[in-house]
């Protein structure tokens, strides 16, 4: 059974960089041919796919967030990370990590973390 767990600060100040990690257990992030994604959901809004890192290290970003987003991985920890720079209160959301490819809808992703609330506020 694959499990994902997000970790990181729950409060970030405006203009700072939001950093989250997702630790995966029960499966390797380098296993063929899986993709590992970041998704967020602001309150009362739809889920938004942010980006993904593939089993081979290829990285994909949402065009709308690409200029502010960086995704990386640490294979020794079986972990992948999200950094979102220059945050504003509009970036406040529940952030999820999940297993799923960019070309799929998030509804088709099979394993999810429990989500972590991030609030951007001074």
């Amino acid at each position: 059974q694959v499990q994902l767990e997000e970790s990181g600060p729950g409060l970030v100040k405006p203009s700072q960089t939001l950093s989250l990690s997702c630790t995966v257990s029960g499966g390797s992030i380098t296993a063929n041919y899986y993709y590992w994604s970041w998704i967020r959901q602001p309150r009362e809004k739809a889920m938004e796919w942010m980006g993904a890192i593939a089993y081979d290290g290829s990285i994909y970003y949402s065009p709308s967030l690409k200029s502010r987003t960086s995704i990386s991985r640490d294979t020794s920890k079986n972990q992948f990370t999200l950094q979102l720079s220059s945050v504003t209160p509009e970036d406040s959301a529940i952030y999820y990590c999940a297993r799923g490819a960019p070309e799929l809808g998030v509804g088709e992703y099979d394993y999810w973390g429990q989500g972590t609330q991030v609030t951007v506020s001074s």
Side-chain angles (χ1 to χ4, degrees):
Q1 176 82 352
V2 176
Q3 294 183 313
L4 296 89
E5 183 174 7
E6 304 91 351
S7 60
L11 181 65
V12 183
K13 295 186 186 304
S15 81
Q16 292 188 341
T17 296
L18 178 163
S19 295
L20 296 174
S21 295
C22 181
T23 301
V24 179
S25 59
S28 173
I29 63 172
T30 62
N32 296 339
Y33 296 95
Y34 293 114
Y35 294 74
W36 306 89
S37 289
W38 286 100
I39 303 103
R40 68 180 182 178
Q41 185 170 28
R43 185 183 296 183
E44 299 182 349
K45 294 186 178 180
M47 282 193 169
E48 177 182 25
W49 180 83
M50 302 181 69
I53 187 163
Y55 60 97
D56 63 356
S58 301
I59 301 172
Y60 307 82
Y61 295 113
S62 166
S64 64
L65 294 170
K66 184 176 182 179
S67 64
R68 299 196 291 132
T69 307
S70 177
I71 294 174
S72 61
R73 68 180 184 176
D74 185 336
T75 56
S76 68
K77 297 179 180 179
N78 212 38
Q79 199 174 70
F80 61 107
T81 62
L82 169 73
Q83 291 191 313
L84 182 66
S85 64
S86 304
V87 297
T88 72
E90 285 67 41
D91 292 310
S92 299
I94 299 175
Y95 285 74
Y96 298 92
C97 57
R99 190 176 78 173
E103 65 267 23
L104 300 177
V106 296
E108 298 183 70
Y109 289 5
D110 55 0
Y111 292 101
W112 290 74
Q114 78 282 3
T116 187
Q117 173 69 50
V118 178
T119 300
V120 179
S121 175
S122 56

